Structures are given as C-alpha cells and as structure tokens.
Amino acid sequence: MNRETINLAAVLPTVALSVIGVLIMALGPFSKRGRPNRMGLLALLGVIAAAFALVPMMNPVNRGFWYSGLWVVDDYSAFFHATFLLIAGLTALGSMDYLRRQKMDHPEYYALLMFATAGMLTMAASEDLIVIFIGLEALSISTYVLAGFRRTDLKSNESAMKYFLLGSFASAFFLYGIALIFGATGSTNLAGIADGIRLIGEEPSGTSQIALVYLAAALMLIALCFKVAAAPFHVWTPDVYEGAPTPVTAFMSVGPKAAGFAVLLRVFVSAFGYPSLQDRWQAAIGIIAILTMTLGNIVATVQPNIKRMLAYSSIAHAGYVAVGLAAAAKQPDGAVSAALFYLLAYAATNLGAFAIVSVLGRSEDKLTNVSDYAGLARKRPVLAALLSLFLLSLAGVPGTAGFTAKFFIFRAAVDSGLYSLASVGALTTVVSFYFYLYVIVQMYMREPHEDFADVGVPATGALLLAVAAVATVYLGVWPNDVLNWSLEAARSLH
C-alpha cells in the first residue's frame, strides 16, 4: 500500500550520511593539517549514527511504501543498508592512516565516501527507477572522483577518466532503458511495471509493447552489469582498480558491486517476473555468469600485480553472485538469500585483503607485485596469517565465509535446475586456488626481498582487520543467523 505522508524515519540513515558529508565539506577548510584524522573520525561517527538510525527505520510502524510509493522500507533494504554501512565504516578505518602516509589527507575524500554510501542506500530502498537512477548517479560521480583522488599520479588520473567515460555510457544505457519501459508500461514504479507487463502479456495485440519491454530489460541489464564488473562489461575494472588509491579500490570492489546487485535483484525479481520475460533474462544472466566466472578466474592466474589479480578475482565473484541471480528466476527465496549472504561475506573478506595490500604497498602503492610479498611470514607473521585467511576465504576453503557463500549459491543453482552454472562455478573455483595459493606460497616459502621494517599497522587498521577476520570466520562457522536474516530479506521482495 502506498503512503503519501512524509516519514523521516524511513530515510533517516540516508539523510544522516548526507548531512555528515555536507558537514565535512563545511568544516574541512577549518581543519588543521596536523590533525588529518578528524574528518575521518567524523565520517566514522556519521556511519555509526546511520547504523543507529536503522532501528527507528525498521520499526513496524515505519515499514512499507512511502513518498507516493517511491521508497520502501523492508527487510531487503535493511539488509543492504547494514551491508553498505559496514563497507563504509571499514573503508573509513582503512583510509585514515593511508591518506596520512600518502599526504592526501583532504577532507573531501570522506565527504565523497559519505555521498557514495548515501547513493548506495538510495539504490537499495528505491521502488522507482527514477529514484534508483538518482542514487546510481550519486554513487557513480563520487567514485569517479575518488578513483582519481591521487591527483599527481598519471595512473590514478587515467583510471578516473576511463571509469568516468565508460560509466557515463552505462548510465545512458540505464536511462534509455527507463524511457523504454515507461513507454511500454506507462510507469517507472516497479509494482506498476510488473502490472503493466502482465497486462501486455495477456493482450493479443501487445507484441510491439513486449518488444519494448525486452529491449528495456536488456539495456538496464547491460548498465548494471557494468556497475558490478560482469563480463563482457568488465574491461574498465583492472586498470581502474590498479590506478585508484588502494582504499578506494577496496571500496569500489565491494560497494558499487553490492549496490548494483541490490538493484538487479529488486528490479528483475519484482518488476520483470512475468514468466516469458523471466525465462529470457534467466538465460541471458546465465551466459553472463559463465563468462564472468571463467574469464575472471583464468585471467587472474597470470597477473603479477596483486591489485590487478584481486580485480579479476572481483570479476569472478560477480559471476558467482550472478549465478544466484539466474537461479532467482525459479527459486526466488533461496537464491536471493544466497546472493545476499555472498555479497556480505565477500565484502568483509575482500576489505580485509585490501587493507593488508594498502599497508604493504608503501608510498604511492609502489610495492604491489605478488613477488613483493616474498618472505612476509618471517617478518610479519600476523599480517601473513590474516592475508592467508582472507585469500583462502576468497578461494572457498571450508570453515571460511567464502566456502559457505559458494555452497549456498551452488545449491540454489542445483535446486533451480541450473546444473551447468553449478558445474562451471565449481570448476572455476578450483582454478582460483592457483592464484590465491600462489600469494601464500610467496609469503611462506620464498626468501624475503623486503625487510618490512617500515610496515606498521595503526589502531584504525588493526580494528579493520579484526572486524574483517572475525566476520570471515563467523560467517564460515556460524552462518545461520545471517542466513535467516538474508532469507527474510529475500521473502520481502514479493
């Protein structure tokens, strides 16, 4: 039921982040350069405030549709709100010392992080394609700037320019898809689109309109596949990830990816659930998933740079989540639940891995080759053990979050009869062990090239690593609570 009244509690987390972003920009010029972490701590407080704002948002009286059906408060949006806030909080923790070391401690960095996160929250809670597009652009423009934040570095400038140009094309595809679906159904509201598609399918004269629906779905799928770095729309990913500052790369590898899948799942499961349309997008997403898993894992095996290796790893993991999206056509509850759990598990694990890459990269991220990690276990055994934990989780070793996430994704595929997707996923997982274990071999079985004497982990970085490690183990050993939550979130989609 649509509600016309304005309800601040329904949008309170998004408003909190936006206000903190504006406040950081206003206070930034008055912040002393000798105390660079002040704005970072303010951003962290903003994330914590937004997390507390989830409590009134999820009060039963605030659930449902608000602002004339543009905004929805349900378990699905709450799950993604919590995931995005975790990502933003860990990114802020990982950025404080990095920006100080790199002499890039500009307050606008944290403002952009707040605005990007507010955009992600908007994407997850929107029930209208226009509002989704606004959130998408808030996220995209912020990350374009963050990717080129190291302004004196040509690689960083190049990464920002590539991301901006290709991202602009993707936004145009999405906007054109909105125009076509409005022309076919007369609505941009997801429930209205679903009703319009059903009416078109029941009318004998609706052939031309259903063709517009197919084209609109294809255009939006292309745009969102770009955002989640799915093949063959992934070409920007390695260069952008390598050139961007490492904390930004960490954020981009999990935040926009999760936001893109939040929209994909809501739009395709809720709005494009008509049987004939459903069969077509299931087949298309299945092909994309196979391409993404295969290409990401195979190309990652030959990457000498660990940021590029993790970039192709990120592409591969997008393919695994896409398996869940394809399975959602037949098993919406179990498959969507598995996809949500996978996104949370991947976020915690990948942020932990990138945090260690950030610490070991030294000035201007110069030491990011896999060979630079030789002998790390002798000099920094704790860092080597943590990085091994994160890499093994990404590979899918039992007892870690990655294994549990992949198990439920593949089970959803099997339950939906998508045996080919489950088989390709299992085979490419075996391939991924090669490049993840290669890094571990370097750390434990090679003579050190570096003495790692200048490697220090600040308190903020230690907290990030602790949270990521605990989440990686907890989600691998005791996943039931989070799985039940993700299942409730999946059920709220329909």
Side-chain angles (χ1 to χ4, degrees):
M1 181 178 67
N2 291 349
R3 305 185 187 184
E4 301 292 337
T5 56
I6 293 174
N7 184 356
L8 183 60
V11 295
L12 195 55
T14 307
V15 171
L17 291 176
S18 301
V19 169
I20 290 296
V22 173
L23 188 61
I24 290 172
M25 292 183 68
L27 296 178
F30 304 101
S31 178
K32 293 182 179 179
R33 289 293 178 189
R35 298 175 179 177
N37 284 347
R38 280 188 171 182
M39 295 299 105
L41 292 173
L42 181 57
L44 192 59
L45 286 175
V47 173
I48 294 171
F52 278 109
L54 286 175
V55 178
M57 186 191 88
M58 289 308 298
N59 189 303
V61 301
N62 295 319
R63 287 175 177 262
F65 297 93
W66 299 95
Y67 301 95
S68 301
L70 298 177
W71 194 271
V72 59
V73 177
D74 54 13
D75 288 311
Y76 183 84
S77 60
F79 185 94
F80 274 108
H81 274 49
T83 301
F84 295 151
L85 292 175
L86 174 66
I87 291 170
L90 293 181
T91 302
L93 284 173
S95 300
M96 293 181 197
D97 181 67
Y98 178 89
L99 295 179
R100 179 189 60 78
R101 284 189 286 112
Q102 306 291 340
K103 298 181 180 179
M104 297 180 352
D105 50 318
H106 306 296
E108 55 266 29
Y109 175 93
Y110 298 104
L112 290 166
L113 179 61
M114 295 296 99
F115 295 142
T117 309
M120 293 193 296
L121 266 58
T122 301
M123 292 170 68
S126 298
E127 185 68 8
D128 190 276
L129 292 175
I130 299 297
V131 183
I132 289 174
F133 180 75
I134 293 171
L136 178 64
E137 287 306 288
L139 168 63
S140 299
I141 293 171
S142 299
T143 49
Y144 296 155
V145 181
L146 286 172
F149 204 76
R150 190 186 288 118
R151 288 169 284 190
T152 58
D153 182 33
L154 290 177
K155 273 191 174 182
S156 186
N157 295 336
E158 179 187 358
S159 72
M161 183 59 68
K162 286 182 177 179
Y163 193 28
F164 168 70
L165 291 175
L166 294 174
S168 299
F169 278 108
S171 297
F173 272 76
F174 191 79
L175 198 57
Y176 194 39
I178 294 175
L180 291 178
I181 200 66
F182 179 77
T185 65
S187 177
T188 57
N189 183 275
L190 299 185
I193 291 170
D195 291 339
I197 293 173
R198 186 174 62 253
L199 290 174
I200 292 169
E202 293 172 354
E203 293 178 1
S205 60
T207 306
S208 60
Q209 287 178 293
I210 202 67
L212 282 181
V213 172
Y214 291 154
L215 183 56
L219 289 173
M220 284 189 273
L221 179 61
I222 289 170
L224 293 171
C225 281
F226 172 89
K227 293 301 178 185
V228 304
F233 314 103
H234 68 284
V235 292
W236 58 275
T237 311
D239 290 339
V240 174
Y241 281 22
E242 183 182 6
T246 302
V248 176
T249 304
F251 177 77
M252 290 169 59
S253 70
V254 293
K257 188 182 300 294
F261 275 111
V263 175
L264 276 167
L265 289 164
R266 190 183 285 280
V267 170
F268 280 81
V269 173
S270 298
F272 294 148
Y274 190 73
S276 63
L277 179 60
Q278 197 174 57
D279 292 339
R280 290 174 182 266
W281 65 250
Q282 183 190 49
I285 292 172
I287 294 170
I288 289 171
I290 290 173
L291 285 174
T292 306
M293 291 185 292
T294 305
L295 183 143
N297 282 303
I298 290 177
V299 180
T301 61
V302 296
Q303 298 302 315
N305 184 288
I306 195 165
K307 289 177 73 174
R308 291 184 72 89
M309 183 270 281
L310 289 174
Y312 281 103
S313 164
S314 173
I315 293 168
H317 285 283
Y320 296 126
V321 183
V323 171
L325 176 57
K330 302 299 181 186
Q331 300 283 338
D333 290 349
V336 173
S337 171
L340 267 57
F341 183 88
Y342 198 107
L343 289 168
L344 177 59
Y346 173 70
T349 301
N350 214 48
L351 285 171
F354 269 111
I356 296 178
V357 173
S358 174
V359 169
L360 298 177
R362 318 297 214 286
S363 177
E364 298 182 0
D365 294 330
K366 289 180 179 177
L367 299 179
T368 55
N369 285 333
V370 175
S371 58
D372 295 327
Y373 289 61
L376 178 65
R378 297 186 187 181
K379 302 291 184 176
R380 290 290 187 272
V382 176
L383 286 180
L386 286 172
L387 183 55
S388 298
L389 171 65
F390 298 136
L391 293 175
L392 291 174
S393 179
L394 291 172
V397 170
T400 64
F403 172 81
T404 306
K406 287 183 178 178
F407 172 80
F408 285 105
I409 282 285
F410 296 157
R411 190 179 75 172
V414 171
D415 290 344
S416 300
L418 302 176
Y419 303 111
S420 59
L421 288 184
S423 300
V424 173
L427 290 173
T428 53
T429 295
V430 174
V431 174
S432 72
F433 272 85
Y434 172 80
F435 55 86
Y436 291 127
L437 291 177
Y438 181 70
V439 181
I440 297 175
V441 167
Q442 289 289 324
M443 293 190 295
Y444 284 90
M445 303 180 67
R446 297 288 186 268
E447 292 296 323
H449 295 269
E450 300 282 331
D451 60 9
F452 302 105
D454 58 338
V455 175
V457 181
T460 52
L463 179 58
L464 188 165
L465 292 173
V467 172
V470 169
T472 300
V473 174
Y474 177 79
L475 293 175
V477 180
W478 296 286
N480 288 342
D481 289 339
V482 178
L483 279 170
N484 291 335
W485 185 22
S486 67
L487 185 59
E488 290 299 317
R491 287 171 177 164
S492 69
L493 274 182
H494 54 83

